[in-house]
Amino acid sequence: MFNLLKSWLKKSLIAVLLVTISLGISTAGWTPISRAALPSGNAITDANALLRYALPIDNKPVRDLQASLEDIAAQLRANRRWGAISKDISKASRILNNPGQILASVPEERQPQAEAWIAELKSGVTSLDEVVKTKDKEKLRSERAKLLNLVTLLEESMVKKYPFEVPAEYSNLPQLKGRATVEMKTNKGNLTMVVDGYSAPVTAGNFVDLVQRGFYNGLEFTRSEESYVLQTGDPAGKEVGFIDPKTHKYRAIPLEILAEGDKQPTYGITLEEAGRYTDMPVLPFSAFGALAMARPESEVNGGSSQFFFFLFEPELTPAGRNLLDGRYSVFGYLTEGKEVLDKLKAGDKIESAKVTQGLQNLVEPKTA
């Protein structure tokens, strides 16, 4: 009975906390539970899978290849259903035996490299089939991860051009026209994040720009809630965000959310306020280490430098239409360092942060 009561109290506390993410300002609001419906089916909770699906490409064979390899993890969780895993591998093999359908979406100049990746995938899938015969669960996971990394490279090679124009009113803000990888060194260990400018170019661009400026170096994590959030980005002094040294003004970042099915993000309004209660963001709060822009509860365009890691706990915050989806801008995911993120608390420190890939995708502001 005590454990049951403890569980109920913890869930109630998290439900209340879910509506109060801010820049350290005490604010409160409430989203009716009826508008935070549970997902239908199994939501994707793997950050790398979410990043793959967020790529602006349209090639069914490569998506089917991705899905068949990702499904292996679900089958492993379901009491090692080896027969179903064999079917997934067979499907992947059939797709790879017809590479022309995949290559059709790859620009001609990138096709030689894509062909090499496909050949490597074919070899890897054959090897994976042999691993299944031994029923070596850990080796299967490891080899599957390598193949999915190749699928990621293949899918990224299909992106021909940036898919939309950011509204001119945000031309005074940095924009990320693609993706970037950021490595953050903390006093507890290192974190690796992929930020996605295809889904949140202004939010991701602001973050990458601040990393390049060294803004986050030496900053402390200012807020931590178990199974909820870890927040940082509050500079020393009275300011709660970034003051641009050129303009001497607070750099305000608009709420930016790309919903599934939309061609470009919406700005300055939550999906709830737009009446889109059942629509899902392309980058949802369904993976441990989702990166999102913090802001005052009452100011959707009030974000600046503060951001938070979402410490996804499926029993407390269901994946798919939870109370944060559509209300805060997710701009990337933690891809390495989960065990480090688990250890970080308020008072811990970011020692340094740097962009290790994708800096060429950062577009500096056109105007001051």
Side-chain angles (χ1 to χ4, degrees), residues 10-179:
K10 188 173 184 181
K11 290 182 181 182
S12 298
L13 176 60
I14 295 296
V16 172
L17 288 171
L18 282 172
V19 297
T20 59
I21 289 182
S22 69
L23 293 173
I25 302 169
S26 296
T27 58
W30 187 253
T31 300
I33 297 299
S34 62
R35 296 180 181 177
L38 298 181
S40 57
N42 295 321
I44 299 172
T45 58
D46 178 77
N48 288 305
L50 288 166
L51 287 165
R52 280 189 286 271
Y53 280 116
L55 285 168
I57 62 173
D58 183 17
N59 182 284
K60 188 175 185 302
V62 82
R63 289 303 196 193
D64 288 343
L65 173 63
Q66 175 188 335
S68 64
L69 293 173
E70 287 171 349
D71 187 59
I72 291 173
Q75 303 304 338
L76 284 173
R77 289 192 298 269
N79 299 319
R80 305 182 186 182
R81 295 165 59 179
W82 299 105
I85 291 172
S86 293
K87 289 181 180 178
D88 283 329
I89 293 173
S90 294
K91 181 178 179 180
S93 182
R94 288 195 300 272
I95 294 168
L96 290 166
N97 283 334
N98 191 1
Q101 293 184 340
I102 295 175
L103 291 170
S105 295
V106 180
E108 187 176 352
E109 67 274 13
R110 302 176 192 168
Q111 288 195 5
Q113 178 61 75
E115 288 173 348
W117 287 328
I118 290 173
E120 195 172 346
L121 279 162
K122 289 179 70 174
S123 175
V125 166
T126 299
S127 299
L128 205 62
D129 197 30
E130 294 301 313
V131 175
V132 170
K133 294 175 183 177
T134 68
K135 296 187 177 181
D136 187 332
K137 189 175 179 181
E138 292 309 313
K139 187 173 182 180
L140 184 64
R141 280 195 178 118
S142 174
E143 294 303 311
R144 166 190 166 274
K146 293 177 184 178
L147 294 179
L148 280 169
N149 285 339
L150 288 171
V151 171
T152 298
L153 294 172
L154 191 56
E155 291 179 344
E156 288 176 342
S157 75
M158 294 179 178
V159 181
K160 297 180 176 65
K161 63 179 182 178
Y162 196 74
F164 57 86
E165 288 295 325
V166 176
E169 63 189 288
Y170 304 120
S171 61
N172 64 316
L173 298 171
Q175 298 173 18
L176 188 68
K177 299 294 185 71
R179 287 184 172 169

Side-chain angles (χ1 to χ4, degrees), residues 94-356:
R94 288 195 300 272
I95 294 168
L96 290 166
N97 283 334
N98 191 1
Q101 293 184 340
I102 295 175
L103 291 170
S105 295
V106 180
E108 187 176 352
E109 67 274 13
R110 302 176 192 168
Q111 288 195 5
Q113 178 61 75
E115 288 173 348
W117 287 328
I118 290 173
E120 195 172 346
L121 279 162
K122 289 179 70 174
S123 175
V125 166
T126 299
S127 299
L128 205 62
D129 197 30
E130 294 301 313
V131 175
V132 170
K133 294 175 183 177
T134 68
K135 296 187 177 181
D136 187 332
K137 189 175 179 181
E138 292 309 313
K139 187 173 182 180
L140 184 64
R141 280 195 178 118
S142 174
E143 294 303 311
R144 166 190 166 274
K146 293 177 184 178
L147 294 179
L148 280 169
N149 285 339
L150 288 171
V151 171
T152 298
L153 294 172
L154 191 56
E155 291 179 344
E156 288 176 342
S157 75
M158 294 179 178
V159 181
K160 297 180 176 65
K161 63 179 182 178
Y162 196 74
F164 57 86
E165 288 295 325
V166 176
E169 63 189 288
Y170 304 120
S171 61
N172 64 316
L173 298 171
Q175 298 173 18
L176 188 68
K177 299 294 185 71
R179 287 184 172 169
T181 301
V182 172
E183 291 187 4
M184 188 172 285
K185 183 179 179 182
T186 77
N187 61 304
K188 294 286 181 65
N190 297 339
L191 306 171
T192 301
M193 300 151 275
V194 173
V195 291
D196 184 20
Y198 291 123
S199 302
V202 176
T203 315
N206 173 67
F207 179 73
V208 170
D209 175 70
L210 293 179
V211 168
Q212 276 298 103
R213 291 172 181 267
F215 178 87
Y216 294 109
N217 297 348
L219 292 189
E220 290 187 352
F221 292 96
T222 53
R223 179 185 180 189
S224 60
E225 302 286 350
E226 184 180 357
S227 302
Y228 180 43
V229 297
L230 178 72
Q231 187 165 317
T232 187
D234 184 6
K238 65 178 182 178
E239 303 296 344
V240 294
F242 174 65
I243 305 300
D244 192 319
K246 291 183 179 179
T247 65
H248 305 289
K249 294 180 180 179
Y250 179 90
R251 180 194 281 174
I253 303 301
L255 180 67
E256 180 180 44
I257 299 170
L258 178 64
E260 291 179 352
D262 287 359
K263 293 183 178 180
Q264 61 187 55
T266 59
Y267 292 89
I269 187 171
T270 68
L271 293 186
E272 178 185 354
E273 290 169 338
R276 304 177 65 176
Y277 303 118
T278 61
D279 291 353
M280 282 296 297
V282 169
L283 302 181
F285 283 97
S286 62
F288 183 87
L291 281 164
M293 176 64 70
R295 62 171 177 82
E297 177 71 17
S298 60
E299 296 179 43
V300 292
N301 296 329
S304 182
S305 61
Q306 294 196 49
F307 70 94
F308 62 93
F309 292 97
F310 183 50
L311 309 181
F312 174 70
E313 171 51 61
E315 292 185 1
L316 301 178
T317 313
R321 289 313 305 159
N322 57 53
L323 291 172
L324 296 182
D325 283 321
R327 300 182 74 225
Y328 293 87
S329 301
V330 175
F331 60 94
Y333 294 99
L334 178 82
T335 55
E336 294 180 32
K338 178 181 178 180
E339 69 289 345
V340 174
L341 185 56
D342 257 333
K343 296 175 185 176
L344 291 167
K345 305 294 181 186
D348 284 321
K349 183 175 291 188
I350 298 171
E351 296 178 354
S352 64
K354 64 179 180 178
V355 180
T356 57

